[in-house]
């Protein structure tokens, strides 16, 4: 079982604004420090990535994995699971978006595990840092695009 973490950020935007940024996988390397590259492998009828390959930099290593996306809860959020990876053994995540007037509470939740040998507290810390940084980066990109 992987390590779980979540982070909620409040953004002066709509859920649609957040979804537009969060599902623009091709742009991740422009605004997320850990994402080195992405490749959308498959899309749904609305042009959203349903299978996306990521190359990230984490813990001094370059890690590649694919994520499989489920948009059945749009506009309230969406989720994903691990497709393939040689290092990542679990990757269950979601974004949920709760509009509160002119703002949205965007929650990023993740349960992840790696096959790399390391103490549990280090994995827990790594997942927490990843979630916190990703939430802030997404928030900053939504605000930037609205400006």
């Amino acid at each position: 079982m992987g390590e779980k973490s979540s982070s909620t950020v409040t953004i002066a935007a709509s859920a649609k604004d957040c979804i537009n940024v969060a599902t623009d996988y091709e742009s991740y390397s422009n605004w997320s420090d850990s994402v080195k590259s992405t490749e959308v492998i498959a899309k749904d009828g609305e042009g959203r990535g349903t299978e996306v390959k990521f190359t990230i930099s984490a813990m001094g290593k370059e890690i590649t994995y694919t994520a499989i996306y489920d948009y059945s809860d749009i506009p309230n959020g969406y989720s994903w699971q691990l497709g393939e990876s040689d290092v990542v053994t679990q990757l269950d995540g979601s974004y949920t978006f709760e509009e509160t007037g002119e703002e949205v509470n965007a929650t990023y939740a993740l349960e992840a595990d790696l096959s790399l040998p390391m103490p549990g507290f280090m994995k827990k810390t790594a997942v927490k840092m990843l979630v916190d940084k990703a939430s802030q980066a997404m928030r900053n990109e939504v605000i930037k695009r609205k400006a």
Side-chain angles (χ1 to χ4, degrees), residues 78-103:
Y78 67 96
S79 62
W80 60 91
Q81 293 184 320
L82 179 65
E84 296 179 6
S85 178
D86 56 350
V87 175
V88 181
T89 57
Q90 181 179 13
L91 189 72
D92 299 322
S94 66
Y95 270 117
T96 56
F97 306 104
E98 178 188 358
E99 290 188 336
T100 59
E102 295 185 15
E103 296 179 327

Side-chain angles (χ1 to χ4, degrees), residues 36-37 55-64 86-87:
K36 299 305 170 197
S37 67
T55 301
I56 65 169
S57 177
M59 298 173 291
K61 297 189 177 291
E62 193 168 278
I63 298 171
T64 300
D86 56 350
V87 175

Side-chain angles (χ1 to χ4, degrees), residues 13-23 44 46 48 70-79 94-100 103-107 138:
S14 68
K16 183 178 179 181
D17 293 330
C18 296
I19 291 166
N20 287 342
V21 168
T23 60
D44 67 9
E46 295 187 36
R48 300 175 296 213
D70 175 0
Y71 300 106
S72 60
D73 200 28
I74 291 286
N76 301 313
Y78 67 96
S79 62
S94 66
Y95 270 117
T96 56
F97 306 104
E98 178 188 358
E99 290 188 336
T100 59
E103 296 179 327
V104 63
N105 291 324
T107 300
M138 192 270 293

